[in-house]
Amino acid sequence: MGARAELTPELVPGRSRTAAKTAHTAQTAHIARATYAAEETLSRDALATLQLERLRATLANAWQHVPWQRARLDAAGLHPDALRHLDDLERLPFSVKNDLRDHYPFGLFARPVEQLARVHASSGTTGRPTVVGYTAGDLSRWADLMARTLYAIGARPGDLVHNAFGYGLFTGGLGTHGGAERLGCPVVPMSGGGTERQVALIMDFGARVLCATPSYALAIAETAERQGIDLRASRLRLGVFGAEPWSEAMRERIEERLGLRAYDTYGLSEVMGPGVACECEARSGLHGWEDHFLFELIDPESGHPVPDGASGELVVTTLTKEALPMLRYRTRDITRLDRTRCACGRTHLRILRVAGRNDDMLIIRGVNVYPSQIEAVLVGRPGIAPHYQLVVERHGALDQLRVEVEALADTGADGRAALADDVRHHIKSMIGVTVEVAVMGPGQLPRSEGKAVRVRDLRSKGN
Ligand code: DLL
């Protein structure tokens, strides 16, 4: 691990908390070159050498221990000893979520179950769950990467971390927990739910860092406001938010209502969990930790690489996972890559904000729409609360989108009709799609306690 700089700004005695928070925000924006690990600033050449060495070891691990991987590697003529360049990996076909499902539960593991330290799994609401495993070494590297992630956003040893990511089979809670402990931060292992209690403990314990899905962070803010508690006056300074797509507009709302600086963090259980990529203080994309993962961006239709700057599907290869090496895993997440040097001094590429999943993209009358694009239009519109749901229905041969939003206050039928007109108009002019808008009364839409369910697809039900 490299040298660390101590940057924690203390509250200035005699100044209001809010003023101190503003000072902190200004200060963090100028912080640069403070890293948790020396690997974060390796030269590109050194990074490529390390990646090649680790990729060889990963292929060897997969080839020796996972019959399915061995067959694929052999068929591609990619015996681990034959790997000369990182690009050689392109000869190997992609792997997908169904490969994990087809080998349920442990068929793609490179270690027998007795040698594992932990197992996580997806909820399995749509088919068999995908099961992922970790050796003790994997858990330790995960904790390091999550500590690196927390450090990158400005958390420092001793900062109290309120962890509202779900604990359990979901990787968010325990993954973040391990990283906070590794960094030397005391953790409050809240998990999701019990929102009034979350508010009380944030206030009483004086948490400095909040970890949650962005939709749940907003639900916490709303519950506090309803209770007459001003979380902006709490000790919260930093937010680590992720596990679902969210917009810049949502970031602004969350920062305003919680009085903290909000950072985006990305990950997926198939390749590890949270801690795969994270924004730094520059907030101009998420550094993908390239000493542990290889990132590619492909055209989801053709599978061919897309040029830097263009949008495509992220493909990830693990470089240090022992229990479950994943080779060329198609994430379905649509993003862009930025390989230019970041102001913070880190050399790892940046993954731009994930717009959404390929499989969440709606095609409404020929227009491709991601829920996060609708969110960007809705959040912050006057009179509208930042909660929404999208209902997709089929009328005859045409797919129709109903956008359900919530009025901030009880405005009566006329007020609701005016709000609906305003939202419909802005969605049409900014995204180019005609939608139906239903304005509900305050508090009528469901609130998330984890990953928000944004889309209700009624098409398969014959509507
Ligand atoms: O959501 C891991 C995680 C936990 C990441 C906590 C960040 C914070 P999964 O449940 O396997 O793992 O879901 C992974 O969630 O493929 C994306 O579609 C989506 N996702 C995760 N982070 C972001 C993000 C965790 N920052 C899937 N922005 C991924 C947009 C995200 N989508």
Side-chain angles (χ1 to χ4, degrees):
M1 238 183 313
R4 300 178 191 187
E6 276 316 315
L7 298 159
T8 312
E10 295 303 332
L11 285 177
V12 183
R15 288 166 72 192
S16 76
R17 290 240 163 102
T18 319
K21 278 188 175 191
T22 314
H24 169 59
T25 304
Q27 190 176 349
T28 48
H30 291 105
I31 290 170
R33 287 168 225 294
T35 58
Y36 177 77
E39 288 81 359
E40 292 172 63
T41 52
L42 280 180
S43 74
R44 293 300 312 177
D45 281 352
L47 204 46
T49 306
L50 182 66
Q51 287 183 320
L52 185 60
E53 184 189 303
R54 289 182 167 179
L55 182 58
R56 269 202 197 107
T58 298
L59 292 192
N61 180 29
W63 193 86
Q64 278 166 25
H65 301 295
V66 190
W68 179 79
Q69 297 277 26
R70 178 192 295 214
R72 278 160 38 93
L73 287 164
D74 284 346
L78 249 190
H79 187 276
D81 295 338
L83 186 83
R84 293 280 166 270
H85 306 283
L86 287 170
D87 293 351
D88 292 345
L89 188 65
E90 284 175 26
R91 305 216 296 266
L92 190 71
F94 299 110
S95 48
V96 294
K97 201 179 193 75
N98 266 343
D99 295 330
L100 280 160
R101 290 197 172 125
D102 291 347
H103 294 86
Y104 175 86
F106 304 143
L108 296 190
F109 287 9
R111 294 289 180 279
V113 73
E114 313 81 71
Q115 287 177 28
L116 300 182
R118 197 190 300 158
V119 170
H120 281 281
S122 71
S123 60
T125 43
T126 52
R128 274 180 173 176
T130 43
V131 184
V132 296
Y134 306 78
T135 62
D138 289 332
L139 288 186
S140 180
R141 282 180 292 275
W142 187 10
D144 261 337
L145 282 183
M146 199 58 220
R148 191 193 280 191
T149 292
L150 288 164
Y151 195 89
I153 67 136
R156 293 294 178 268
D159 287 345
L160 188 67
V161 173
H162 183 103
N163 187 10
F165 280 125
Y167 281 66
L169 288 176
F170 175 52
T171 51
L174 281 166
T176 304
H177 187 108
E181 283 191 347
R182 176 64 52 90
L183 182 56
C185 295
V187 198
V188 185
M190 284 302 293
S191 197
T195 312
E196 292 190 358
R197 192 137 171 267
Q198 304 252 5
V199 173
L201 297 193
I202 288 172
M203 296 301 288
D204 295 350
F205 294 178
R208 191 162 186 280
V209 184
L210 173 64
C211 306
T213 59
S215 57
Y216 192 47
L218 207 56
I220 292 175
E222 187 182 55
T223 301
E225 285 158 20
R226 221 180 27 244
Q227 293 175 285
I229 295 171
D230 186 1
L231 282 177
R232 289 169 307 172
S234 73
R235 294 180 65 92
L236 282 179
R237 299 291 178 277
L238 301 166
V240 185
F241 303 126
E244 63 185 10
W246 54 311
S247 60
E248 225 20 68
M250 185 70 102
R251 177 173 2 226
E252 283 167 28
R253 285 296 90 69
I254 292 173
E255 292 192 332
E256 233 166 65
R257 295 171 75 169
L258 289 171
L260 46 66
R261 201 166 149 87
Y263 292 86
D264 192 7
T265 180
Y266 168 85
L268 61 159
S269 48
E270 291 86 346
V271 306
M272 191 176 75
V276 173
C278 183
E279 282 180 324
C280 61
E281 278 119 348
R283 298 206 302 196
S284 54
L286 292 77
H287 289 285
W289 303 129
E290 287 187 272
D291 48 336
H292 292 268
F293 304 100
L294 260 186
F295 299 101
E296 299 172 72
L297 207 65
I298 60 160
D299 177 330
E301 301 292 322
S302 68
H304 295 316
V306 300
D308 280 351
S311 146
E313 178 183 335
L314 189 67
V315 172
V316 185
T317 297
T318 61
L319 295 175
T320 52
K321 285 284 293 297
E322 288 169 347
L324 181 58
M326 289 304 285
L327 305 176
R328 305 197 85 201
Y329 183 74
R330 287 186 66 155
T331 63
R332 301 280 164 200
D333 293 321
I334 302 298
T335 181
R336 286 176 292 137
L337 297 183
D338 182 351
R339 292 179 202 271
T340 60
R341 190 71 176 253
C342 181
C344 73
R346 289 178 181 82
T347 50
H348 296 218
L349 61 66
R350 279 167 290 165
I351 298 167
L352 301 191
R353 187 183 276 282
V354 170
R357 295 176 62 77
N358 215 358
D359 27 22
D360 282 349
M361 190 181 76
L362 305 168
I363 304 177
I364 305 298
R365 297 172 189 218
V367 182
N368 298 352
V369 186
Y370 286 105
S372 60
Q373 285 175 283
I374 305 263
E375 176 182 302
V377 178
L378 294 178
V379 174
R381 287 230 63 70
I384 298 285
H387 307 283
Y388 66 96
Q389 272 206 332
L390 308 181
V391 184
V392 194
E393 292 169 317
R394 180 156 294 154
H395 295 286
L398 284 182
D399 285 344
Q400 295 229 333
L401 182 60
R402 186 167 76 245
V403 178
E404 297 183 346
V405 296
E406 222 181 78
L408 268 180
D410 258 326
T411 49
D414 285 353
R416 283 206 297 275
L419 285 175
D421 273 349
D422 173 71
V423 169
R424 195 179 312 111
H425 166 74
H426 279 88
I427 290 177
K428 175 73 184 166
S429 69
M430 293 172 80
I431 310 178
V433 65
T434 305
V435 298
E436 188 192 322
V437 177
V439 180
M440 329 291 254
Q444 281 189 343
L445 286 177
R447 300 295 189 258
S448 104
E449 293 186 348
K451 289 182 194 256
V453 179
R454 297 300 191 192
V455 180
R456 288 196 340 258
D457 191 342
L458 306 180
R459 285 172 297 189
S460 50
K461 300 194 178 137
N463 290 281

